[in-house]
Amino acid sequence: MTGGSRGIGRAICLELARNGSYVIIKLPLQHKGSSRHTWVDSSRRRNGEIVCFDVANQKETARNIDALLIQHEAIDILVNNAGETADSLFVLMSSDEWTKVLNTSLQGFYNVTKPVLMKMVNRKHGFIVTISSVSARLGHRGQANYSAGKAGLEGACRSLASEVARLGIRVNVVAPGLIETEMLQAVPQDMIKQIIPMGRVGLPEEVARVVRFLCSEDASYITGQVIAVNGGMI
C-alpha cells in the first residue's frame, strides 16, 4: 500500500487489515525511523509493516521492493495511492511543478507495480487497485499536472488489465470524488455540497470498502474498470 499514512490511504489500510491482510505500508521518506505499525480493531489484532522510500526513485523503489519480496515471498494485493499536488495555473506552472507531480503518480506507478507484477505473473494470482480521482475526468483550475497524472493512471491500468487478465491478475481503478480529508478542510462545506448530487462529501471508509471489494473474490469478474466513488458528480 503506497500512500497509506492518512486520509483515504489510511482507511484502506485499516479496511484490508480488518479483513485479514498483513498490510505493508509505504510512507514518504520523512517518516523514516518508523519500522513497525500495528492495526487494531475490536475483533482482532493485525501486525503491519512500514517501509519508507521515494516511489519516484526507480532504483530506491526496486531495492526496497526486492527486499520485501524476499522477506514475504509474495504480495497478493497492491494498492497504488501515492500522489502529490503542486497546484498552479498552467501558464504559470514551472517544469519542476509539472514533473514532480507526474513523477510521483505515473513514474511511481511504474516503479512500484512492475516488480510486484512480475511475482504476481509467476504465481498467476494478484489484485492491483490504483487510486485515481474525479479530477481525471472533471478538470479543475490549477491542476493540469494532477489531472494529467490521474488520467494517465486510468489509461495505464486499463491497458495493463487487458495484458494480465488471463494470468489470474485483476487490475482496477477507484476514482474518489470529494472525500472528507485534510485537503477539503479549508473549503466551505456548503459550496462543496452544491456540486454533489447526494448533497454531502464522501468518507474515506466508503472508498476503502470499494477497494476491499475489488480485492476479494466477490469481484472475480471485474477487471479493467474505473469505479467512481463520488456521490454522483459525473
Side-chain angles (χ1 to χ4, degrees):
M1 173 81 203
T2 66
S5 63
R6 58 185 179 176
I8 292 171
R10 177 173 171 79
I12 295 170
C13 289
L14 285 166
E15 184 70 22
L16 293 176
R18 290 186 187 119
N19 281 269
S21 295
Y22 180 93
V23 182
I24 302 170
I25 310 160
K26 199 297 298 179
L27 298 182
L29 282 171
Q30 59 262 36
H31 291 268
K32 199 163 188 177
S34 301
S35 59
R36 305 287 295 182
H37 190 83
T38 301
W39 299 106
V40 180
D41 68 15
S42 59
S43 60
R44 68 176 70 192
R45 186 179 182 89
R46 294 293 301 183
N47 286 326
E49 185 171 342
I50 289 176
V51 291
C52 298
F53 58 90
D54 179 8
V55 296
N57 185 315
Q58 187 173 5
K59 290 183 179 179
E60 186 180 318
T61 300
R63 184 172 64 251
N64 278 274
I65 291 180
D66 285 348
L68 287 171
L69 289 170
I70 291 171
Q71 180 182 352
H72 297 285
E73 296 185 359
I75 295 175
D76 297 305
I77 297 170
L78 171 62
V79 181
N80 291 299
N81 185 52
E84 193 160 353
T85 58
D87 293 357
S88 176
L89 293 176
F90 189 78
V91 293
L92 302 175
M93 186 177 292
S94 68
S95 176
D96 286 344
E97 288 171 330
W98 176 264
T99 304
K100 180 181 179 182
V101 172
L102 291 182
N103 278 350
T104 300
S105 57
L106 283 177
Q107 188 63 45
F109 167 83
Y110 175 86
N111 293 345
V112 173
T113 303
K114 187 173 181 182
V116 174
L117 179 65
M118 295 299 292
K119 282 287 187 178
M120 289 181 174
V121 168
N122 291 338
R123 299 176 67 238
K124 291 184 168 52
H125 175 77
F127 312 108
I128 298 173
V129 178
T130 295
I131 307 302
S132 178
S133 168
V134 69
S135 295
R137 304 183 194 183
L138 187 64
H140 293 98
R141 286 168 52 87
Q143 288 196 321
N145 48 4
Y146 185 76
S147 295
K150 293 301 187 181
L153 287 174
E154 292 186 4
C157 287
R158 284 194 178 101
S159 294
L160 178 58
S162 69
E163 294 175 8
V164 300
R166 298 189 181 187
L167 300 175
I169 302 163
R170 301 201 308 268
V171 183
N172 289 292
V173 176
V174 174
L178 299 173
I179 306 299
E180 193 174 281
T181 61
E182 292 179 12
M183 293 177 66
L184 282 189
Q185 287 181 354
V187 183
Q189 292 293 303
D190 290 342
M191 184 181 76
I192 293 174
K193 292 175 182 178
Q194 288 177 10
I195 63 175
I196 304 173
M198 289 185 70
R200 67 173 180 87
V201 298
L203 299 175
E205 292 77 15
E206 292 175 305
V207 179
R209 287 193 287 270
V210 176
V211 174
R212 186 255 303 155
F213 165 71
L214 292 172
C215 296
S216 74
E217 291 307 318
D218 290 336
S220 57
Y221 201 53
I222 300 175
T223 194
Q225 303 305 304
V226 178
I227 311 297
V229 186
N230 59 31
M233 287 179 66
I234 56 174

